[in-house]
Amino acid sequence: MWFLHTPLHDTHREAREARMGLFTDLRDSISRAVDRMFSDSEPKRIGIYGPPNAGKTTLANRIARDWTGDAVGPESHIPHETRRARRKENVEIERNGKTVNIDIVDTPGVTTKVDYKEFLEHDMEKDDAVRRSREATEGVAEAMHWLREDVDGVIYVLDSTEDPFTQVNTMLIGIIESQDLPVLIFANKTDLDDSNVQRIANAFPQHETVPLSALEGNNMDEVYGKIAEYFG
Amino acid sequence: MPHECTNCGRVFDDGSKEMLSGCPNCGGNKFQFRPSSATDSTDSTESPSKRSEPAGETEPDPRSRPSEGAEPTSSSTAWSDAAERAVGDEGESEPTPVSDPSPDSDPTSTRISASSREWPNQREGSGEATPSTPEDPRDSAGDDKSRTESRESDSESRASDSDDSVDVDDGPATSTDDDSIEDTAQASARSEVVSPDELAAASRTEAEEDGPTDPDAPSANAPDREAAARPSDADGRVIEPSSDDRPDLEDLRAELNEQFESIRIVAPGEYELNLMELYDRTEYIISLQEDGRYVIEVPDTWDTTPGGAEDT
C-alpha cells in the first residue's frame, strides 16, 4: 500500500519481481519480494496514535525495550505526559522468520479539548498545569501533522476500559482511513477488570482489534505478529 | 448688520451663507460680527471671543476640554469622545430651543464657541480649511480686535443686560435678544459644519442650510452634525465601531475562528482543537503564545527535513 509513497522502490521491486518470476513460483516470488522490500527499504514509520492516557507510551516503551533495550519516553498516569512526538528508530521485530524494521513514533494523545484544570487534580501547580496544557495542545498539533506527513502506518491505541465511541476516535480513524494507511487497533489495559475489548472491536469492525496489556506485557506475541503482518 | 467683511466692509445679514466661501466682493475671509442691536462696535466684535471665554465656565466646555485632551491620543478614543459629546450636546440642546428662543441661541452659541476653540486644534490634524466655516472668521475677527476689549464689554453687557438671567452668555444675549429668528439662523450658520464634502457640493450645502434657517431644528441638529461630521471627515466613519469596539472584535474573532482557527485559546491553559483543521494544514504549529499567536513551521522548511527527503 505504501509503495505509492516510494515510486522508485516500486519500479525496482517490479523489476526484481519480474526476474524472480522466471525462476520461482508466484507465491514464493511475492513473499521474497516483500521480504526484500522491508529489509532493503527505509524502515516504515509507524505512528502510535490514540487519545490521552490510552497507554501509547507504555506500548512504545514495551516494544522498544523488547527489541532494542531502550525506552522511548517516560510514562505517566497523568494525561498528556507525552507532549512531543518521540521516535524510536530501527526497531527490528522478528516474527516467523521475517524481520520487520520499523520506526516507532510515540505521539501525544489526541484530543479536541485541553484544559489545565484537568491537571490540577494531579497535585500540579497552576502554572505548571497551564504550561502542560499549552504543550499538550502543541503536541496534538504535532501529532496531527505527523499523521499527515510522516507516518506509513498507524497503531491506534485505545483504553479498553473506556467507551471507544468518541469524536476523537471516529475522526482520527476516519483520517487514517482516508489516507489509506494500514491501521491496527490495540485494545489496551486488558489487565484491568472493566476492560471491554469487544466493545472496541464492535466500534471499529472494519479493522483488526488486538487486545493487550502493554503495562503487564500480556498478549505481546500476538501484538508483534500483527505488527509484522500489517507493517512488515 | 451682523457680519462685516473686515477687508472691504461689506455687510452680511446674520445667518447669511454668502460669506461662507469668502466675501463675494473682495474675496476676504475675515469678518467681524456686529449684532444689529449693538450700537457699540466693541460689543459686537467681542461677543464671539468673549463667548468663548465664559464658555470655559459653562457646561459645554468641560465636555469639550476633555475631548481636546483626548484629541492627541489614539484617534478612536478621540472619536468616541466626539460621539459622546454629540450625544451630550443633543441632550442639552433639545430642551432649550423648545423652551425659549433666546436661551436657545445662547447655549448653542456657547457650544459653538466652545467647539470653535477646540476645532482649530483638530483642524491642524485634519487639515481642513479654517476660513471655510463661518465661526472661525468671526473668531479671528474677535481675536484681531482684542481680548481685553471683550472682557470690558463683557462686564458692560452683564451690567446692562439685567434681563439676561442666563449666565451662560451675557454678551451674545444682548445681540440675540432683539431678533430671535435671526438668532437661530445665526446659530445654524455658525454651528453648521462646513465639511470638505459640503464645500465640494457648495450648492447642496447652501440648499441644506437655507432649510435649517427655520427655527429650532437646525440649532438642535447642528451640534450633532458638527461632532459627528468632524470625526468622520478626518477618520472615516469610525464613530460607530469605536463606541462598540469590543463586540465587533469578538464577532470578527468568532468569524475568523470558524474559518481558519485550528486551535482556539479559550483561556490561558484552555484550548479547543479543530483536529480536521490541524490535519489539513500543511504548516505545522510549533508553539502557542499566550496572546493567541502561533509559531508555525512553514511547509517549505519541512521539505528540507529528513522526513521530507525520505518521502521521495
Side-chain angles (χ1 to χ4, degrees):
Chain A
M1 238 173 231
W2 44 114
F3 299 157
L4 294 177
H5 299 284
T6 56
L8 281 179
H9 290 135
D10 219 21
T11 49
H12 273 290
R13 183 178 62 88
E14 281 167 6
R16 289 183 199 177
E17 261 180 14
R19 273 202 312 267
M20 297 289 286
L22 296 175
F23 306 106
T24 59
D25 65 37
L26 183 64
R27 184 168 159 272
D28 213 20
S29 136
I30 289 178
S31 88
R32 289 200 202 179
V34 168
D35 278 2
R36 198 169 25 253
M37 224 292 293
F38 289 111
S39 54
D40 291 353
S41 65
E42 295 288 334
K44 295 300 152 202
R45 197 172 298 147
I46 308 304
I48 300 179
Y49 279 84
N53 239 19
K56 296 178 294 299
T57 303
T58 306
L59 173 66
N61 281 341
R62 165 73 59 184
I63 296 173
R65 282 200 193 100
D66 280 356
W67 299 101
T68 72
D70 297 330
V72 170
E75 305 161 16
S76 167
H77 64 287
I78 306 176
H80 295 294
E81 180 66 25
T82 304
R83 299 186 292 282
R84 297 301 307 269
R86 292 197 190 89
R87 182 154 56 158
K88 188 73 184 173
E89 296 181 331
N90 278 317
V91 177
E92 280 194 6
I93 297 176
E94 290 179 24
R95 267 306 101 160
N96 304 327
K98 273 197 316 191
T99 297
V100 177
N101 196 358
I102 59 173
D103 290 352
I104 293 175
V105 182
D106 181 29
T107 67
V110 174
T111 181
T112 53
K113 229 171 206 174
V114 181
D115 190 341
Y116 76 93
K117 289 193 277 294
E118 180 186 0
F119 306 132
L120 295 179
E121 301 166 6
H122 299 275
D123 289 334
M124 202 175 288
E125 292 297 319
K126 187 188 172 185
D127 285 352
D128 293 338
V130 168
R131 188 173 61 248
R132 188 185 184 95
S133 175
R134 178 165 48 81
E135 290 171 357
T137 305
E138 293 165 7
V140 175
E142 186 181 28
M144 295 308 289
H145 186 84
W146 275 87
L147 184 55
R148 177 196 173 99
E149 305 282 336
D150 287 312
V151 169
D152 302 315
V154 171
I155 292 173
Y156 200 80
V157 180
L158 286 167
D159 181 343
S160 60
T161 68
E162 301 279 337
D163 181 5
F165 289 102
T166 65
Q167 185 193 1
V168 168
N169 293 341
T170 308
M171 194 179 294
L172 275 182
I173 296 288
I175 289 174
I176 292 162
E177 289 170 352
S178 74
Q179 286 267 73
D180 274 341
L181 291 174
V183 58
L184 273 177
I185 293 183
F186 282 10
N188 196 19
K189 306 194 184 182
T190 54
D191 56 305
L192 297 180
D193 287 342
D194 45 357
S195 164
N196 188 343
V197 176
Q198 195 54 46
R199 187 169 49 177
I200 293 176
N202 293 343
F204 305 103
Q206 70 275 35
H207 301 291
E208 184 138 9
T209 297
V210 183
L212 79 155
S213 168
L215 185 65
E216 300 295 332
N218 297 342
N219 203 30
M220 291 310 289
D221 275 348
E222 187 185 355
V223 165
Y224 294 131
K226 290 294 179 186
I227 288 177
E229 181 184 335
Y230 269 70
F231 309 120
Chain B
M1 305 298 177
H3 304 290
E4 181 184 290
C5 176
T6 55
N7 195 26
C8 68
R10 172 163 175 169
V11 171
F12 305 91
D13 286 340
D14 201 354
S16 164
K17 308 296 184 296
E18 282 179 283
M19 47 187 247
L20 286 181
S21 44
C23 175
N25 274 11
C26 64
N29 56 8
K30 284 190 176 181
F31 305 88
Q32 59 176 325
F33 177 60
R34 315 186 71 188
S36 53
S37 66
T39 50
D40 193 2
S41 64
T42 55
D43 189 16
S44 61
T45 48
E46 288 130 19
S47 43
S49 61
K50 181 238 129 192
R51 252 179 241 143
S52 64
E53 281 175 25
E57 299 141 26
T58 56
E59 280 185 37
D61 199 62
R63 235 182 300 118
S64 63
R65 268 193 182 151
S67 69
E68 268 184 76
E71 227 70 49
T73 66
S74 81
S75 59
S76 63
T77 47
W79 302 143
S80 65
D81 280 354
E84 285 170 21
R85 202 189 330 140
V87 174
D89 281 352
E90 192 178 17
E92 185 190 281
S93 58
E94 297 263 10
T96 35
V98 180
S99 60
D100 188 30
S102 63
D104 163 33
S105 64
D106 291 347
T108 312
S109 56
T110 311
R111 266 195 307 277
I112 290 155
S113 57
S115 55
S116 70
R117 283 202 311 154
E118 65 179 271
W119 283 7
N121 292 342
Q122 293 185 357
R123 278 198 189 94
E124 287 168 17
S126 61
E128 279 181 38
T130 319
S132 60
T133 53
E135 65 270 23
D136 289 321
R138 252 178 278 121
D139 244 9
S140 58
D143 287 348
D144 289 348
K145 288 291 174 178
S146 65
R147 293 241 164 189
T148 50
E149 265 185 307
S150 72
R151 283 192 187 121
E152 289 164 14
S153 68
D154 183 12
S155 54
E156 277 180 46
S157 61
R158 268 183 194 161
S160 60
D161 302 327
S162 56
D163 60 329
D164 276 327
S165 56
V166 186
D167 285 343
V168 180
D169 281 337
D170 292 336
T174 350
S175 57
T176 58
D177 248 356
D178 309 29
D179 192 349
S180 60
I181 295 176
E182 202 169 73
D183 255 359
T184 49
Q186 167 194 345
S188 85
R190 260 197 261 113
S191 59
E192 197 71 48
V193 172
V194 182
S195 67
D197 294 348
E198 283 174 321
L199 277 181
S203 58
R204 187 174 61 86
T205 309
E206 280 186 22
E208 269 183 18
E209 286 183 344
D210 285 345
T213 322
D214 302 342
D216 295 351
S219 63
N221 288 340
D224 301 346
R225 289 161 67 181
E226 283 174 26
R230 183 146 308 281
S232 63
D233 287 345
D235 207 24
R237 65 206 169 285
V238 191
I239 285 191
E240 287 301 322
S242 66
S243 58
D244 41 358
D245 204 21
R246 305 274 168 143
D248 275 359
L249 269 182
E250 282 172 12
D251 289 348
L252 183 63
R253 184 161 186 82
E255 194 176 323
L256 286 175
N257 282 347
E258 283 172 19
Q259 289 175 1
F260 303 113
E261 197 151 49
S262 48
I263 297 177
R264 181 175 307 176
I265 303 179
V266 182
E270 291 179 42
Y271 306 91
E272 288 176 7
L273 296 94
N274 182 342
L275 295 183
M276 283 310 293
E277 194 64 39
L278 281 172
Y279 172 74
D280 281 340
R281 285 176 178 239
T282 51
E283 74 271 15
Y284 158 46
I285 295 172
I286 292 175
S287 76
L288 297 168
Q289 311 292 312
E290 291 306 329
D291 59 4
R293 296 181 184 176
Y294 304 152
V295 176
I296 65 170
E297 179 99 28
V298 292
D300 283 348
T301 319
W302 272 93
D303 284 346
T304 65
T305 61
E310 280 176 35
D311 278 347
T312 55

